[in-house]
Amino acid sequence: MDRRGTQPLAHQAKAGQGEFDSSDAVRTAAPLLHARQVTFDTALKLELGGELPSVTVTYETYGNLNEAGDNAVLICHAISGDSHVARHDDADFPGWWEIVVGPGRFIDTDRYFVICANILGGCRGTTGPNSIDPLTGHPYAADFPTVTIADSVEVQRRLVDHLGVGRLLAVIGGSMGGHQAITWATRYPQRVRGCVALATAPRLTSQALAFDVVARNAIMHDPHYHGGRYYGEQGPAVGLALARMLGHITYLSRESMTAKFGPSRLRPRKVATAFEKKFSVGAYLGYQGDRFVERFDANSYVTLSMMMDMFDVGDTPAALQAALAPSQCQWLVISFSSDWLFPPEEGREIADALLALDKPVSYCEVTSSSGHDAFLLGDSVETYGGMIRGFFANLSATPKVVERSQAPAPTLSSGTFFQGDRVDLRILVDQIPLDSSVLDLGCGSGQLMSELVARGHSRVVGVEVDEKAVLACVRRGLNVIHADLNRGLTGFRDRHFDVVVLSQALQCIEDTKGILREITRVGGLGIVSFPNFAYRKMREMYYELGRSPKLPGLYGYEWYDTPNRRFASIVDVRELCQAIGVRVLREICLNSESGQEVHDDPNLNADIAMFFISA
């Protein structure tokens, strides 16, 4: 049991892996035991015209606002969520983000004052289509106006004011919740210190829109829809169930569906549903659709899906940059590898736009087989939850970077060649001009970046392909972009940084020519350090032992599992630079065993080289 007497996180992380488990598994139509309401009587003028004469908001809070009033976190839910993000006590039922929110968890309610409100247009207490229109005395039904993400955020802003919060430590949300988080950061930039956007995008793809169009038509063409005026009568249960079944397919991935339904394809569970259940996937979808009808309103589904579909902060890099430009906060953008509804490249578009604006941002494509639902499930929660925890911790305190004497050895997966106290790293730091902006390629767990931040550099960004190393950087309060250097530096403009560093990773790069050209395009100065495979002791191992070199200073790779793709010498790299038009301004060659610079035949006597290059 954890501190609240609930199932431990390790058990909860398995939610969503059973045949009938899903992100909907913990959601219920039961009354919200700890929800509160507030009504704002000032009319809400809507972005697309018209107004709502008053708005009622249902919300829940967790933890306490501290004396300084600077520990408030606003959580924005996705299309079918509500205010119940986590349980409050042992008698309460689980919330929709139980694996992330709670005492001692990734969003620690012992530390933060957590706010979650049912969205405008919802059906769990906040004003929506099933609310009474004060002008008619009847439910709004299909006459509920078209509302936008900006309208919903304005309602949340009123709630935040009501709760006495001046500035949010962070706003966080996934999917449509991510749209709200982005809108908060850009509409109310002075009210937000940090923004976390998970499994989201600048706008929906045409494919995603298509699913929503079919879903809305399934509802509105149900014979019991009655133009939306079905309250007190039999409602469009079949249409709503079909809409949810269709939507649920988009939340999964090919991998997760294969794992769930492949082994039992023709052995479906016996469930009480009128939908086809010849196949296990059919029984599952029928079950999910029926359960959804029990807790959700069809008009709200139409309203909220339209709200999400209309969200658009830019379909070009220039438009997206213009939309994000007002933000003044730290950003953390997280995508999931198997999410095809909000694919990773769309999250990266957000990060790239922020990079182009020199906004502080970290981005990670988290490995998960759960599809779009990954941000609600547990197969990757230690990674994305760990990033959230580290990001929040660094928002609420001065980031604690690791000093040189405390810095751990680079991780094996970072692609860094040498371990221990790297003499080249010490020299490298001293060669970078003070106050210069620095891009660290293959940054590993952030050792060099930490050194530079401690030294006073104000703009330091890393690029790293290893997910665990990205997590380590985020925990350190460093800005890092999860990316493969072999795909170039497309997110960075010409002369984006004063200095671009590639430290001990050149030998791991597939496109060696391409990365050298990109370094000199993006940086005014490039510093590339690499192992010299023509070093005397390496030659001796080949010549005398007839074996691939493996020296004490190197990681314990064997020839068959080494990450190194290139085995170049100092002469080789020098000749390559000349061939592709990259200028070598200076060379520093080192012997890591003696810690000394080598001037006498460095191609034979130095095991590390550092080239200073430019276009």
Side-chain angles (χ1 to χ4, degrees):
M1 295 286 179
D2 73 1
R3 293 167 54 193
R4 294 183 299 184
T6 60
Q7 293 175 324
L9 285 177
H11 178 85
Q12 292 187 28
K14 296 178 181 178
Q17 295 178 3
E19 184 183 350
F20 275 71
D21 291 334
S22 71
S23 60
D24 279 341
V26 298
R27 300 179 193 179
T28 174
L32 301 173
L33 302 178
H34 297 271
R36 289 176 281 173
Q37 285 189 329
V38 59
T39 297
F40 300 108
D41 292 325
T42 302
L44 175 66
K45 296 188 180 301
L46 302 175
E47 185 179 27
L48 299 180
E51 66 178 29
L52 289 169
S54 65
V55 175
T56 296
V57 183
T58 295
Y59 67 96
E60 296 180 45
T61 64
Y62 305 77
N64 298 295
L65 188 65
N66 63 15
E67 187 174 346
D70 60 2
N71 69 330
V73 173
L74 177 66
I75 297 178
C76 305
H77 68 72
I79 187 169
S80 63
D82 55 32
S83 62
H84 192 59
V85 69
R87 73 182 78 197
H88 294 262
D89 51 45
D90 293 348
D92 204 358
F93 55 86
W96 56 265
W97 218 12
E98 192 85 4
I99 61 173
V100 171
V101 180
R105 298 196 177 169
F106 299 108
I107 300 179
D108 187 353
T109 52
D110 285 338
R111 181 171 185 177
Y112 304 113
F113 177 56
V114 174
I115 308 164
C116 188
N118 186 217
I119 195 171
L120 177 68
C123 55
R124 294 283 276 169
T126 294
T127 298
N130 64 347
S131 302
I132 300 299
D133 181 349
L135 301 180
T136 66
H138 300 288
Y140 282 101
D143 291 335
F144 191 76
T146 301
V147 290
T148 66
I149 294 292
D151 295 329
S152 69
V153 167
E154 166 59 19
V155 172
Q156 292 166 357
R157 195 273 308 165
R158 293 185 181 188
L159 173 63
V160 168
D161 287 351
H162 169 75
L163 294 173
V165 176
R167 189 183 188 196
L168 292 163
L169 176 71
V171 59
I172 179 172
S175 191
M176 189 173 76
H179 294 164
Q180 297 164 64
I182 292 168
T183 302
W184 261 101
T186 53
R187 291 274 179 136
Y188 305 108
Q190 296 180 335
R191 302 289 300 270
V192 179
R193 289 187 64 182
C195 178
V196 183
L198 302 98
T200 196
R203 66 175 192 163
L204 267 69
T205 64
S206 295
Q207 182 185 44
L209 283 172
F211 280 99
D212 282 349
V213 169
V214 174
R216 285 192 291 270
N217 274 275
I219 292 171
M220 292 187 290
H221 286 82
D222 185 301
H224 297 289
Y225 183 63
H226 302 308
R229 301 194 176 279
Y230 51 79
Y231 297 110
E233 304 176 10
Q234 181 181 354
V238 172
L240 179 57
L242 287 170
R244 187 57 174 179
M245 291 163 68
L246 185 65
H248 206 87
I249 294 169
T250 69
Y251 306 150
L252 303 176
S253 67
R254 180 175 179 176
E255 301 99 308
S256 64
M257 294 187 80
T258 298
K260 279 178 180 286
F261 311 117
S264 60
R265 189 183 189 97
L266 293 171
R267 299 190 305 277
R269 285 196 197 176
K270 293 181 180 180
V271 294
T273 180
F275 295 105
E276 179 198 316
K277 50 191 177 186
K278 179 177 177 62
F279 300 97
S280 58
V281 66
Y284 170 85
L285 291 173
Y287 174 84
Q288 299 295 341
D290 289 339
R291 297 292 76 76
F292 189 69
V293 170
E294 295 172 359
R295 69 177 182 85
F296 216 81
D297 178 52
N299 281 325
S300 275
Y301 199 84
V302 171
T303 297
L304 296 181
S305 65
M306 184 65 75
M307 177 191 290
M308 182 168 64
D309 292 353
M310 290 189 302
F311 180 78
D312 189 344
V313 289
D315 61 344
T316 65
L320 184 53
Q321 289 170 35
L324 297 177
S327 72
Q328 300 173 15
C329 62
Q330 296 274 341
W331 288 80
L332 175 62
V333 182
I334 297 175
S335 301
F336 296 89
S337 59
S338 57
D339 185 353
W340 57 272
L341 184 62
F342 289 79
E345 55 266 26
E346 296 187 343
R348 180 63 194 272
E349 286 176 6
I350 297 171
D352 283 350
L354 292 166
L355 282 171
L357 295 165
D358 292 331
K359 305 288 186 181
V361 59
S362 288
Y363 169 78
C364 188
E365 178 185 326
V366 174
T367 302
S368 171
S369 62
S370 295
H372 184 59
D373 258 356
F375 77 98
L376 298 170
L377 300 177
D379 72 325
S380 56
V381 70
E382 293 300 325
T383 299
Y384 75 80
M387 289 184 184
I388 293 169
R389 173 185 281 150
F391 183 75
F392 281 9
N394 283 291
L395 286 175
S396 56
T398 301
K400 296 179 180 179
V401 297
V402 178
E403 300 295 340
R404 179 175 298 167
S405 61
Q406 300 172 303
T411 58
L412 187 71
S413 56
S414 71
T416 305
F417 198 83
F418 290 90
Q419 62 180 336
D421 186 19
R422 287 176 44 195
V423 61
D424 65 311
L425 186 62
R426 298 198 306 271
I427 293 175
L428 179 57
V429 171
D430 293 336
Q431 295 299 316
I432 295 174
L434 289 170
D435 299 325
S436 58
S437 58
V438 182
L439 178 63
D440 185 8
L441 304 179
C443 64
S445 58
Q447 184 177 359
L448 173 61
M449 291 197 294
S450 292
E451 298 266 1
L452 294 174
V453 171
R455 192 174 181 232
H457 293 257
S458 59
R459 189 157 67 96
V460 180
V461 178
V463 178
E464 175 55 46
V465 72
D466 182 74
E467 193 174 293
K468 292 181 179 179
V470 173
L471 171 58
C473 288
V474 173
R475 283 174 169 167
R476 282 178 154 177
L478 302 169
N479 294 317
V480 60
I481 301 299
H482 186 203
D484 185 349
L485 295 177
N486 290 301
R487 299 180 182 177
L489 303 176
T490 54
F492 301 94
R493 64 178 183 269
D494 294 355
R495 296 295 182 269
H496 200 153
F497 290 85
D498 298 323
V499 180
V500 177
V501 175
L502 181 68
S503 176
Q504 302 295 357
L506 184 66
Q507 69 280 2
C508 305
I509 303 294
E510 293 178 15
D511 185 6
T512 309
K513 293 180 181 179
I515 197 63
L516 291 174
R517 290 188 177 116
E518 283 285 78
I519 288 170
T520 56
R521 177 186 68 82
V522 173
L525 172 68
I527 305 177
V528 180
S529 66
F530 57 93
N532 172 31
F533 284 92
Y535 177 50
R536 181 191 303 274
K537 291 189 177 181
M538 292 196 182
R539 298 189 196 188
E540 290 172 353
M541 289 196 75
Y542 272 120
Y543 181 73
E544 295 179 3
L545 301 179
R547 300 190 59 182
S548 296
K550 193 165 79 170
L551 300 180
L554 305 179
Y555 282 128
Y557 294 119
E558 298 292 346
W559 64 269
Y560 49 80
D561 65 2
T562 178
N564 301 309
R565 298 173 178 271
R566 311 292 179 220
F567 301 90
S569 68
I570 293 171
V571 171
D572 290 328
V573 176
R574 189 184 297 145
E575 290 180 350
L576 174 62
C577 289
Q578 183 179 6
I580 63 175
V582 169
R583 291 194 300 153
V584 179
L585 307 176
R586 186 158 59 101
E587 299 177 13
I588 296 178
C589 300
L590 306 167
N591 184 294
S592 63
E593 294 179 288
S594 67
Q596 300 297 315
E597 188 170 346
V598 175
H599 300 283
D600 178 27
D601 195 359
N603 202 51
L604 179 66
N605 297 315
D607 58 346
I608 302 174
M610 191 180 300
F611 278 28
F612 296 76
I613 61 176
S614 69

